[in-house]
Amino acid sequence: MTTTTPHPTTLFEKLWNAHLVAPESDTAPAVLYIDLHLIHEVTSPQAFAELEARGLSPRRPDLTKGTLDHSTPTLPAGNDGRLPYYTAEAEHQVDTLRRNCERHGVELFDFDSDYRGIVHVIGPELGLTQPGQTIVCGDSHTATHGAFGALAFGIGTSEVGHVLATQCLLQRRAKTLAINVEGELAPGVGAKDLILHVIGEIGVNGGTGHVIEYRGSTIRALSMDERMTVCNMSIEAGARAGLIAPDQVTYDYLAKTPRAPRGADWDQAVARWSQFKTDDGATFDREVHIDASAIKPTLTWGTHPGQVAAIDAHLPQGRDADEAKALAYMGFDGGAAMAGRPVDVVFVGSCTNSRLSDLRQAAEVLRGRHVHPRVRMLVVPGSEQVKRDAEAEGIDAIVRAAGAEWREPGCSMCIAMNGDLVGAGQLAVSTSNRNFEGRQGKGARTLLASPLTAAACAVAGHVVDPRAYLDPAFNPSIKEVA
Amino acid sequence: MSASVHAASADAGFVELISRTAVLRERNIDTDQIIPARFLTTTERKGLGRFAFNDWRYLADGSPNPEFELNKPHNAGAAILVAGRNFGCGSSREHAPWALTDLGLRAVISSEIADIFRSNSLKNGLLPIVVAQDLLDELLDRPGIELRIDVRTRTLHLPDGRAVEFPLDAFAQTCLIEGVDQLGYLLRQIDAIHHFEQRREAARNTTQEQPHAR
Ligand code: SF4
């Protein structure tokens, strides 16, 4: 394990070194040990098939956890007890994971579990995600778990098979990028605005080949939910992983989770976890500095997450071919104002913004108001636990009273695999993480935004500055729904 | 059909590829364009070529979009795709290289290729080639030229005789040429993996710590 190091090292290097089964060389990548392998129905079936074809079985089923999230319906079972799957193929995919988990002794958070939900929501809230770990999943938003100081990244299905069979991956060491964020976020501006702003600054490929460590006073002041929102979108800047060093905020969060260590084990764990931080004097391959106080509510306007603008900004003119193509797809005129465009659909959900604090923020705007008649609004909790907690606070009642739909947990309209679709040509304001062409349905147009902005747009019926809907004293990072 | 692949073995490996190029000029072509999410409910890895670039490739009525580059007759059989900067960004779906190889592609050239897509491609006999932006601009402007890719020397040969080296990890190169599968390689490390687990277990027992308890 990591002890005193001869020279100052970064958090990433500590995580990397602590998991090296074999170091890399000119001719071979490193063999990296994986502590936690999360699987879901979409990217695992071919991996299990490959394993079985070779007569292998999972090496550490105890370190593998499964959930159902992407293809699952967000409407409850009908009178016949059957879930309303979008297609027979989707149901078959879910059944396949069920069968694979059963056959190989992998714990699955199924529909009968109190903890089923989006893979990147349930790992942390169960306390499966812990500082100092390596965590992988056949899903690019695995970066979310980096908020706990774990090296967490998305892998392909072949690699899912590698981890199942050997609990290891072949990896080349990434470069390091420090994103230093200083200053206080203004009221009405949150973690989502921050990360959209960062991606806008460094570009949609700005993190390629790098692992990002988010640092600075702004990051330290964020809650775990907010830190997860930031790390979640690291992949949208091309980085495979995002990291935040663990601190008291991390430990306070984990202490309340069902699978965290207890008693003396807890103290030992915290002592070990606290070593996972960048030493003073350690150097990064690249550093970027961001002034948080200058950030406004921020949305995307185009067809990738690097095409962002502040709420009061005007769209670019579309002088280069890519910008022009994005504007054309979105049906926007170059140079027009961001605010004011009519909105058809609002989605609050996804592994970026479907945790309790996100739903509280949306509810804060919706409370006592009504969703604009033109707008269809879906609120989809990230997990069964988030749903239970939100319902205990009455958030579901606020959402329903406002005329929005309160759904069952899942990925839903983030990836639109389960029938929760945005129609062709419709404009959606979405708290998810990707605004690629067709991401929310063929021909759908997506503006990525924070839960506050999304809820405000739902009420206004058009793109609007959420600060217009907030009590001047309202501070979204601390305010709780009574 | 002008593509030819010289493979060292009958299955995965290839040492040389000669083909005309097909060009998609767009930058940041993401995995949702390469294969839209609604086709990911499959439990198979075969036959996904019919969904490749689906939303660009077909019109609303399901007929092929004549404007889409890969639908144009002169691109039939091209095994090398030249694409704008930052190809393959977005998700980790291996369905993306599965769809492209099923379409007959064996190499993708760009000035930047997203990390996970690149790693997934190398596991599926799809060679990701990163070239300097000025060379990419030239290739984007000259669709349909015949290139020769030599995996042994990691070199791209242009019709005018220029030879350009491209970066390719030595391990990935060996895997491509010999058709070695990476899982097989990992399985041969099983003793080292076992020792690593034992070392950690011992370290934890001395501190009474069981992070995966319960
Ligand atoms: S919510 Fe969206 S981004 Fe997150 S895991 Fe599900 S599909 Fe992927």
Side-chain angles (χ1 to χ4, degrees):
Chain A
M1 281 293 86
T2 323
T3 49
T4 44
T5 40
H7 65 96
T9 46
T10 62
L11 170 56
F12 167 71
E13 290 167 293
K14 287 182 183 172
L15 289 162
W16 176 263
N17 292 337
H19 293 87
L20 279 181
V21 171
E24 63 183 332
S25 69
D26 286 349
T27 52
V31 178
L32 195 71
Y33 195 81
I34 302 304
D35 295 318
L36 176 63
H37 185 197
L38 300 167
I39 58 176
H40 62 73
E41 73 275 23
V42 179
T43 53
S44 64
Q46 298 89 346
F48 278 105
E50 172 79 22
L51 223 63
E52 290 178 2
R54 292 185 186 229
L56 299 166
S57 48
R59 177 176 180 81
R60 296 294 302 266
D62 57 321
L63 304 184
T64 312
K65 306 288 169 192
T67 187
L68 303 167
D69 51 7
H70 284 67
S71 305
T72 55
T74 55
L75 288 169
N79 291 336
D80 57 358
R82 285 182 66 95
L83 288 164
Y85 281 97
Y86 188 44
T87 60
E89 212 181 27
E91 184 164 13
H92 173 69
Q93 197 173 52
V94 165
D95 284 340
T96 304
L97 181 58
R98 216 170 255 151
R99 210 181 45 243
N100 283 330
C101 286
E102 229 162 74
R103 189 181 295 167
H104 297 289
V106 170
E107 184 179 14
L108 174 67
F109 298 98
D110 203 334
F111 279 91
D112 57 4
S113 153
D114 288 342
Y115 294 103
R116 190 191 62 83
I118 304 173
V119 61
H120 311 308
V121 176
I122 68 161
E125 75 184 9
L126 279 160
L128 294 168
T129 300
Q130 293 172 13
Q133 291 178 328
T134 43
I135 303 175
V136 296
C137 175
D139 195 289
S140 58
H141 292 97
T142 308
T144 313
H145 308 260
F148 291 79
L151 179 59
F153 53 92
I155 56 177
T157 295
S158 294
E159 290 176 319
V160 170
H162 298 179
V163 180
L164 285 173
T166 67
Q167 203 58 30
C168 287
L169 274 179
L170 292 169
Q171 288 287 301
R172 287 279 177 198
R173 197 166 111 157
K175 287 182 280 195
T176 53
L177 166 61
I179 297 188
N180 303 291
V181 194
E182 297 289 345
E184 212 172 311
L185 290 169
V189 178
K192 183 63 163 290
D193 304 295
L194 166 61
I195 189 62
L196 286 172
H197 177 84
V198 166
I199 300 165
E201 289 291 304
I202 70 173
V204 71
N205 52 354
T208 305
H210 292 76
V211 166
I212 298 174
E213 183 180 340
Y214 300 94
R215 298 157 59 78
S217 59
T218 317
I219 302 297
R220 296 261 76 92
L222 297 178
S223 70
M224 285 316 297
D225 283 5
E226 294 169 317
R227 292 180 188 186
M228 284 188 258
T229 300
V230 170
C231 287
N232 173 275
M233 291 193 72
S234 302
I235 182 74
E236 263 57 69
R240 277 184 88 166
L243 292 169
I244 295 174
D247 59 13
Q248 199 55 45
V249 177
T250 322
Y251 310 143
D252 290 346
Y253 176 102
L254 283 172
K256 297 192 197 97
T257 59
R259 306 246 178 143
R262 295 267 180 275
D265 290 346
W266 169 262
D267 299 334
Q268 298 280 1
V270 171
R272 196 171 70 87
W273 294 342
S274 10
Q275 302 166 38
F276 287 97
K277 59 174 194 295
T278 293
D279 299 325
D280 290 341
T283 52
F284 293 85
D285 293 304
R286 245 178 85 208
E287 295 214 35
V288 169
H289 296 271
I290 303 283
D291 173 10
S293 63
I295 302 173
K296 295 176 179 166
T298 301
L299 299 90
T300 59
W301 57 264
T303 53
H304 69 66
Q307 291 173 324
V308 303
I311 184 72
D312 56 0
H314 287 250
L315 302 176
Q317 292 294 343
R319 285 197 193 92
D320 84 44
D322 290 295
E323 272 185 12
K325 184 166 183 273
L327 287 168
Y329 180 85
M330 296 298 291
F332 293 166
D333 295 326
M338 186 85 195
R341 19 212 81 255
V343 168
D344 305 296
V345 177
V346 170
F347 171 62
V348 174
S350 90
C351 56
T352 316
N353 284 122
S354 66
R355 287 169 287 267
L356 185 59
S357 58
D358 301 310
L359 305 189
R360 281 177 181 163
Q361 292 191 14
E364 190 63 35
V365 174
L366 293 180
R367 185 209 297 272
R369 296 196 174 98
H370 208 276
V371 171
H372 191 279
R374 175 175 48 225
V375 176
R376 174 186 182 212
M377 182 181 189
L378 244 68
V379 181
V380 186
S383 69
E384 297 289 350
Q385 182 171 317
V386 170
K387 180 166 180 267
R388 262 194 315 277
D389 292 349
E391 291 180 350
E393 292 184 5
I395 290 177
D396 57 325
I398 295 172
V399 166
R400 287 206 178 93
E405 297 172 50
W406 178 253
R407 292 292 187 98
E408 300 297 316
C411 297
S412 182
M413 227 178 235
C414 170
I415 191 161
M417 283 181 71
N418 74 335
D420 297 344
L421 294 165
V422 176
Q426 288 193 319
L427 187 67
V429 178
S430 176
T431 66
S432 54
N433 44 51
R434 287 194 174 134
N435 55 339
F436 298 145
E437 286 182 27
R439 169 76 176 188
Q440 298 192 289
K442 190 171 180 178
R445 296 158 166 168
T446 302
L447 305 180
L448 301 177
S450 74
L452 279 179
T453 303
C457 294
V459 171
H462 57 256
V463 177
V464 73
D465 191 328
R467 293 172 294 191
Y469 288 83
L470 301 178
D471 178 307
F474 175 62
N475 179 343
S477 62
I478 56 165
K479 179 81 172 186
E480 294 192 3
V481 176
Chain B
M1 185 72 192
S2 71
S4 69
V5 175
H6 298 257
S9 62
D11 46 348
F14 79 83
V15 293
E16 186 181 62
L17 170 66
I18 301 170
S19 169
R20 282 176 296 109
T21 63
V23 166
L24 292 176
R25 298 191 61 92
E26 288 85 354
R27 279 184 281 167
N28 306 311
I29 294 177
D30 58 78
T31 50
D32 278 86
Q33 307 322 310
I34 299 172
I35 179 166
R38 61 185 182 281
F39 303 117
L40 305 186
T41 43
T42 178
T43 51
E44 302 290 321
R45 61 165 83 196
K46 296 206 179 72
L48 298 182
R50 65 186 189 279
F51 306 129
F53 298 107
N54 187 88
D55 294 358
W56 290 355
R57 202 161 135 210
Y58 302 105
L59 298 171
D61 65 0
S63 63
N65 174 5
E67 296 298 306
F68 182 59
E69 272 308 308
L70 301 188
N71 285 342
K72 295 182 180 166
H74 63 262
N75 280 327
I80 301 175
L81 178 67
V82 176
R85 182 174 188 170
N86 195 28
F87 185 81
C89 60
S91 90
S92 61
R93 63 188 71 160
E94 201 161 318
H95 309 68
W98 293 339
L100 296 183
T101 51
D102 195 46
L103 208 58
L105 293 170
R106 296 304 307 272
V108 178
I109 302 177
S110 185
S111 56
E112 192 157 22
I113 297 179
D115 289 337
I116 310 182
F117 175 82
R118 199 160 39 80
S119 144
N120 284 339
S121 295
L122 285 166
K123 291 178 182 65
N124 289 282
L126 179 68
L127 176 58
I129 297 181
V130 174
V131 297
Q133 189 64 43
D134 52 355
L135 177 58
L136 179 68
D137 290 340
E138 185 186 332
L139 294 174
L140 290 171
D141 288 341
R142 299 171 61 200
I145 59 171
E146 187 168 277
L147 298 178
R148 182 166 71 86
I149 297 166
D150 191 331
V151 181
R152 290 159 302 199
T153 56
R154 307 169 202 189
T155 323
L156 188 65
H157 296 271
L158 285 95
D160 60 9
R162 271 180 297 163
V164 181
E165 269 191 58
F166 57 85
L168 179 63
D169 183 271
F171 181 76
Q173 182 187 33
T174 309
C175 288
L176 284 169
I177 293 174
E178 294 177 10
V180 173
D181 83 285
Q182 299 194 359
L183 178 51
Y185 176 88
L186 264 173
L187 286 167
R188 289 197 294 278
Q189 318 283 318
I190 221 73
D191 285 345
I193 296 168
H194 185 66
H195 286 136
F196 179 88
E197 284 176 334
Q198 283 188 323
R199 259 197 332 269
R200 293 228 311 188
E201 204 52 45
R204 279 195 180 140
N205 288 339
T206 54
T207 58
Q208 299 296 312
E209 185 210 330
Q210 293 170 310
H212 293 294
R214 266 171 301 251

